[in-house]
Amino acid sequence: MNPHDLIASDPDPQETAEWHEAFLSLLRTEGPTRARQMLDGLVALAGQHRVGWRPSLNTPYVNTIAAEQQPPFPGDLAIEERLASLMRWNALAMVARANQAYGELGGHIASYASAADLFETGFNHFFRARSATHGGDLVFFQPHSAPGVYARAFLEGRLSEDDLRHYRQEIVAPAHGARGLSSYPHPWLMPDFWQFPTGSMGIGPISSIYHARFMRYLSHRGLLDTGGRTVWGVFGDGEMDEPESMSALTLAAREKLDNLVWVVNCNLQRLDGPVRGNDRIIDELERLFAGAGWNVIKLLWGSDWDGLFASDPGGALARALGDTVDGQMQTFAAKDGRFNRENFFGQNPALAALVQGLSDEQIDRLKRGGHDLVKIHAAYAAAVAHRGQPTVILAHTKKGYGMGSAGQGRMTTHSQKKLDAEDLLAFRDRFALPLSDEQATGLAFYKPAEDSAELRYLREKRAALGGSMPRRETACAVVPVPEVNAYAGFALNAAGKEMSTTMAFVRLLGNLLKDGALGPRLVPIVADEARTFGMANLFKQVGIYSSVGQRYAPEDIGSVLSYREALDGQILEEGISEAGAIASWTAAATSYSVHGLAMLPFYIYYSMFGFQRVGDAIWAAADQSARGFLLGATSGRTTLGGEGLQHQDGSSHLVAATIPNCKAYDPAFAGELALIVDAGMREMLVEQRDVFYYVTLMNENYAQPDLPGAAREGVLKGGYVVGRFGPADGAPITLLGSGAILTEVLRAADALAREGHRVHVCSITSWSELAREAQAADAEGRAPWLHAMLAETAGPVLAASDYVRAVPEALRAWLPPGRAYRTLGTDGFGRSDTRAALRAFFQVDAASIADAAQAYFLGGK
């Protein structure tokens, strides 16, 4: 607010003026640091006396960095503007050509049109690639702007014109000698190009925060020097509505992640209208980020506005901009200079006087801050120089910038994929593109000559920053894995000792952490459940990571299992945030490609709060070729008895089976678990395959048998014969069971055997792996493992699990001919009760299994 306005409504304007003058005198003579100290002192004093006042979290609607504070622009502005115009054109041509030819491929023009200058400033001056002397920055690109990144790669020579012609045509492109370009950043589909998947809104923002924190974790543990590296995220203002975008802001501030810079492209428009039509999203985001503890830089107005502000000492322009809501600002963006002269600057004589000497075209060309390379560079430079806080740059842009009547600032601009001849010519003229009418209307791609000033400049800038980006690399050293008996002998040779598979896992993990080579690479992750899962003994062994160590004496300091935080702690305890924990897991699970350092995360959690709760994040991790273990503890619908409906998981294995590079296992015995963990570690760390493992664990104690050596192949392939019961001449039946329900199946088999039936029991360690192997065998014309396993058995097959029936139903299509098949499962909502009552209710207890066998196959009792 203008101080003169305060004085006008003030009961003692003379006193107020004296205070203002005193403060301004202090600012002139002592500088802003001393002025801030004085303000902080006054706020503290007001608080002590319960005045009930706090400063507003909003600053005036002007640039945070004043014109006189800007550093000199370190590049050739004219060349950079020409390059940005070429990127815009080639991105537009790519999308428009695809839809002109097919009409169904989609794509986005307007998002990149608004963000092009934000991207190009980063590419030319800030985004460092991995090189021999630098570990490289991490850049999360706004997904709808992918065409612009492809357009730059085309000018750099990384993509061909044929590649651009096959945007969103990944299947047919190879037949034409081209590379199909994925819709959004997808590392799985373009494994040497995209580093981070950001296409699912909100996943990129939270992931960038936890990647920045994981870099600090690596440094504090002495595993990798990540100093001088920055995590950049370019996101849309509409994306900030996603809960994941906002959920970890306070963590970034609490951890003082000054290696993190977000650029929020505030083009004021979501998919089909204004983000905050009746308010200002930039004000809202400023309050949100400032309140969360971030450094906020507002990048609102371009250099052409500097003179207008300087000519307006009364502040009429700042007040008018501050009073204009986003919906109206979009209207101004969509209209021409004359409309803006009459409807914005015509609001009062003071505003009209400011533009009296400007033509309508000059008013139309007034840039918002996010389209001014000089202003963007100043904001970026201030962000990377800032210490002690993460920084967000709120960059004001126009969606569809330069698209004129075809889409600039219009409600329909997000879906704009085609332009008519007149619009294409107008776009060419707006950005002074060296295209003939025929080339422009024909959507010809344009690339300057290899020895042109533009391409020489582009290559020199990227060479100085370590090379092209984005670029994904996967080379990393093999991490040796100890022999399984060295750390899991207790599980392989359990000799009937009672334990849960959860306890077996924790003991196994504790042993692995002691290994000199592998131990330091393991990353245990929990979401506020370490004690529930019996992991408290790891607190003293490896400690809980804290960026500030431990500044308090825990109340349980005298106990054997006392809480211990440390700067070099190894456990990541993420609090009650499954979204945060899976983001940490992803950061660790992709360290081999992001940092060239293989790490192996083990994230243990209530299984119900995995795929069902953060399945989108797990899918994104799969896209990024994550390598690690997800441990779904207290799994199944009947294992976690008293917790009830929302805590009882009956579907995670069904969802896990839909992810191609996820291997899902439901082991019943500790020995099975040990073999699965061992195989996974070797596959991910030694063979370096792009897979991750989902393993379910139970908290039910029961006798653990020794694992026969002959069973080991079957454990990994998904199943093996675990027992034979009853007389050889009895009516045969085969029972399949997994996880906690296998013990019920074994008791049912014993009951059926006492009635004279011949029963074979198979332990199914993975329904999905059995089905996948059978499908692959069918395609290759060979017999599947499922047939080999069942060849040792006889009679109809009855399958039971602690999950919905659709999980064991995955085997039906692959059973040997002539073998009848029936499945039992826990379909429906869970309940609160004892395990015994729950299993009887869902009819997966021993008695129900035996009754089902009699009813379906054995002629009744």
Side-chain angles (χ1 to χ4, degrees):
M1 181 177 289
N2 191 318
H4 297 291
D5 295 336
L6 288 173
I7 293 173
S9 59
D10 196 323
D12 191 345
Q14 182 176 349
E15 181 184 34
T16 302
E18 290 171 357
W19 275 82
H20 288 172
E21 181 55 39
F23 179 77
L24 291 174
S25 175
L26 176 70
L27 183 61
R28 284 192 299 269
T29 58
E30 302 294 332
T33 299
R34 178 59 180 153
R36 284 193 294 269
Q37 290 175 343
M38 185 62 70
L39 290 172
D40 288 341
L42 289 172
V43 170
L45 186 62
Q48 290 173 10
H49 292 275
R50 296 174 175 80
V51 173
W53 175 89
R54 65 182 61 191
S56 169
L57 293 176
N58 277 130
T59 56
Y61 207 65
V62 297
N63 293 339
T64 300
I65 301 172
E68 60 271 17
Q69 296 173 323
Q70 291 173 194
F73 186 73
D76 187 316
L77 188 59
I79 288 182
E80 290 194 26
E81 287 181 338
R82 289 201 298 273
L83 282 170
S85 296
L86 293 179
M87 308 300 180
R88 280 192 175 90
W89 171 258
N90 286 327
L92 177 152
M94 187 189 323
V95 176
R97 285 176 69 101
N99 285 280
Q100 190 179 74
Y102 299 99
E104 62 182 280
L105 293 176
H108 302 277
I109 298 172
S111 293
Y112 178 69
S114 69
D117 298 301
L118 300 174
F119 279 32
E120 286 304 303
T121 303
F123 278 125
N124 287 325
H125 301 282
F126 293 96
F127 299 163
R128 296 183 64 95
R130 193 193 303 181
S131 66
T133 58
H134 193 276
D137 291 341
L138 283 57
V139 184
F140 290 76
F141 292 100
Q142 186 179 14
H144 290 139
S145 296
V149 181
Y150 294 142
R152 167 169 269 268
F154 169 58
L155 292 193
E156 290 178 346
R158 301 173 65 198
L159 297 176
S160 70
E161 193 168 311
D162 278 345
D163 297 333
L164 266 59
R165 288 196 183 100
H166 288 87
Y167 171 62
R168 293 194 172 195
Q169 299 164 67
E170 294 161 291
I171 296 173
V172 302
H176 295 84
R179 177 179 194 173
L181 303 181
S182 61
S183 54
Y184 304 122
H186 291 305
W188 186 264
L189 298 172
M190 299 181 68
D192 62 337
F193 193 90
W194 293 115
Q195 197 169 31
F196 304 106
T198 56
S200 185
M201 299 290 99
I203 300 299
I206 190 172
S207 185
S208 70
I209 290 173
Y210 280 88
H211 270 282
R213 201 277 296 267
F214 190 71
M215 287 166 64
R216 291 287 172 82
Y217 170 89
L218 291 175
S219 289
H220 287 154
R221 289 193 54 219
L223 295 171
L224 186 70
D225 182 5
T226 61
R229 299 173 63 188
T230 301
V231 179
W232 294 85
V234 184
F235 309 118
D237 51 354
E239 186 174 2
M240 295 299 104
D241 282 347
E242 290 285 2
E244 293 89 350
S245 297
M246 299 288 99
S247 64
L249 295 187
T250 54
L251 177 137
R254 185 171 67 248
E255 297 288 312
K256 296 180 173 58
L257 297 181
D258 50 23
N259 61 340
L260 177 66
V261 177
W262 279 13
V263 181
V264 180
N265 177 19
C266 298
N267 57 35
L268 313 185
Q269 187 169 320
R270 54 163 70 98
L271 303 188
D272 61 358
V275 176
R276 294 290 183 273
N278 297 302
D279 202 341
R280 282 191 302 279
I281 184 62
I282 291 175
D283 282 352
E284 179 179 321
L285 293 178
E286 181 182 25
R287 291 192 298 270
L288 182 65
F289 281 94
W294 286 53
N295 174 45
V296 180
I297 296 176
K298 293 202 294 192
L299 171 60
L300 306 185
W301 312 110
S303 299
D304 293 341
W305 291 83
D306 289 341
L308 298 179
F309 283 115
S311 302
D312 181 36
L317 179 58
R319 286 195 300 276
L321 292 170
D323 291 339
T324 304
V325 297
D326 285 351
Q328 188 62 39
M329 195 70 76
Q330 285 297 83
T331 300
F332 292 143
K335 302 297 184 179
D336 60 15
R338 175 165 293 279
F339 181 91
N340 280 273
R341 179 191 298 278
E342 295 173 354
N343 292 274
F344 177 76
F345 291 104
Q347 294 180 68
N348 58 60
L351 289 177
L354 288 177
V355 294
Q356 195 168 23
L358 300 181
S359 68
D360 290 346
E361 183 180 3
Q362 286 174 311
I363 293 175
D364 191 47
R365 293 291 185 104
L366 288 172
K367 290 180 180 179
R368 295 183 181 177
H371 301 305
D372 188 311
L373 298 178
V374 174
K375 297 289 186 183
I376 298 168
H377 180 274
Y380 284 14
V384 296
H386 188 76
R387 290 292 171 262
Q389 293 172 289
T391 293
V392 62
I393 297 169
L394 303 177
H396 195 190
T397 65
K398 294 180 181 180
K399 193 160 191 177
Y401 178 63
M403 292 173 65
S405 61
Q408 179 171 285
R410 297 185 180 275
M411 298 295 189
T412 58
T413 190
H414 185 79
S415 300
Q416 190 74 36
K417 308 177 197 316
K418 299 179 182 180
L419 291 87
D420 61 26
E422 184 179 347
D423 293 327
L424 291 169
L425 293 173
F427 190 94
R428 176 201 63 183
D429 296 341
R430 168 68 179 78
F431 292 105
L433 294 162
L435 298 168
S436 67
D437 288 0
E438 183 179 4
Q439 288 173 318
T441 57
L443 294 168
F445 295 116
Y446 183 82
K447 183 177 182 180
E450 288 298 322
D451 63 347
S452 65
E454 289 84 1
L455 289 196
R456 288 201 310 270
Y457 186 89
L458 181 147
R459 288 192 293 265
E460 289 168 2
K461 285 295 183 181
R462 285 314 311 165
L465 291 169
S468 296
M469 286 188 76
R471 186 178 76 231
R472 182 173 178 271
E473 301 176 36
T474 59
C476 68
V478 167
V479 179
V481 175
E483 288 301 314
V484 65
N485 284 308
Y487 62 86
F490 74 93
L492 297 172
N493 304 291
K497 183 178 180 181
E498 286 201 356
M499 71 180 89
S500 68
T501 51
T502 299
M503 289 302 99
F505 165 73
V506 173
R507 182 174 173 185
L508 180 153
L509 179 63
N511 291 341
L512 285 171
L513 286 165
K514 297 173 184 175
D515 184 80
L518 176 62
R521 302 296 186 93
L522 304 185
V523 185
I525 302 172
V526 290
D528 204 41
E529 288 292 346
R531 294 188 189 275
T532 297
F533 300 135
M535 296 175 67
N537 62 306
L538 299 181
F539 292 167
K540 281 196 171 180
Q541 181 179 340
V542 295
I544 299 163
Y545 171 70
S546 168
S547 61
V548 295
Q550 189 159 348
R551 296 177 172 177
Y552 61 92
E555 60 82 21
D556 60 352
I557 194 169
S559 71
V560 175
L561 304 179
S562 63
Y563 204 78
R564 183 175 77 89
E565 298 185 68
L567 186 65
D568 61 351
Q570 198 159 345
I571 301 168
L572 290 174
E573 191 166 27
E574 302 297 2
I576 305 175
S577 175
E578 285 82 9
I582 197 66
S584 261
W585 181 84
T586 302
T590 58
S591 178
Y592 75 94
S593 65
V594 175
H595 305 296
L597 180 76
M599 303 293 288
L600 189 67
F602 288 84
Y603 170 32
I604 186 169
Y605 56 90
Y606 280 151
S607 66
M608 189 62 163
F609 303 135
F611 287 88
Q612 179 158 318
R613 188 159 187 167
V614 290
D616 194 14
I618 296 174
W619 185 258
D623 187 351
Q624 202 178 334
S625 300
R627 300 173 184 172
F629 286 90
L630 297 173
L631 291 308
T634 59
S635 70
R637 188 144 282 162
T638 68
T639 301
L640 189 61
E643 291 292 303
L645 185 151
Q646 285 188 273
H647 284 64
Q648 292 169 345
D649 164 34
S651 58
S652 66
H653 274 283
L654 189 63
V655 182
T658 67
I659 301 179
N661 51 338
C662 174
K663 291 190 171 185
Y665 288 90
D666 186 32
F669 299 130
E672 297 172 350
L673 170 67
L675 283 187
I676 292 163
V677 171
D678 185 70
M681 291 193 298
R682 296 182 190 284
E683 194 168 9
M684 292 182 273
L685 294 177
V686 179
E687 299 168 20
Q688 298 192 356
R689 294 183 181 174
D690 292 333
V691 296
F692 66 96
Y693 277 52
Y694 174 57
V695 185
T696 41
L697 306 174
M698 278 68 69
N699 62 347
E700 182 178 1
N701 291 320
Y702 46 78
Q704 300 286 342
D706 293 348
L707 186 70
R712 298 191 176 195
E713 183 181 12
V715 168
L716 300 180
K717 288 189 172 181
Y720 65 99
V721 177
V722 73
R724 297 168 178 83
F725 302 80
D729 59 349
I733 186 171
T734 299
L735 304 181
L736 312 182
S738 71
I741 299 304
L742 181 61
T743 59
E744 302 289 340
V745 169
L746 289 167
R747 283 195 284 271
D750 188 57
L752 291 168
R754 289 197 300 271
E755 295 182 16
H757 300 297
R758 179 159 58 99
V759 187
H760 291 88
V761 175
C762 294
S763 174
I764 305 302
T765 53
S766 177
W767 305 96
S768 55
E769 286 302 297
L770 270 180
R772 285 177 180 175
E773 196 275 342
Q775 185 176 21
D778 182 67
E780 297 165 9
R782 59 177 174 82
W785 176 260
L786 178 61
H787 287 200
M789 179 184 75
L790 292 178
E792 302 179 41
T793 71
V797 182
L798 179 67
S801 83
D802 213 4
Y803 301 89
V804 294
R805 289 178 57 209
V807 173
E809 280 291 329
L811 300 185
R812 182 177 294 279
W814 313 109
L815 287 172
R819 301 292 291 270
Y821 191 55
R822 188 82 182 192
T823 58
L824 303 177
T826 55
D827 294 62
F829 285 123
R831 303 287 193 280
S832 295
D833 217 306
T834 64
R835 289 192 189 111
L838 287 167
R839 288 172 184 169
F841 174 81
F842 285 108
Q843 297 183 343
V844 291
D845 64 329
S848 298
I849 294 168
D851 287 347
Q854 292 279 8
Y856 299 141
F857 301 129
L858 300 175
K861 295 185 179 179

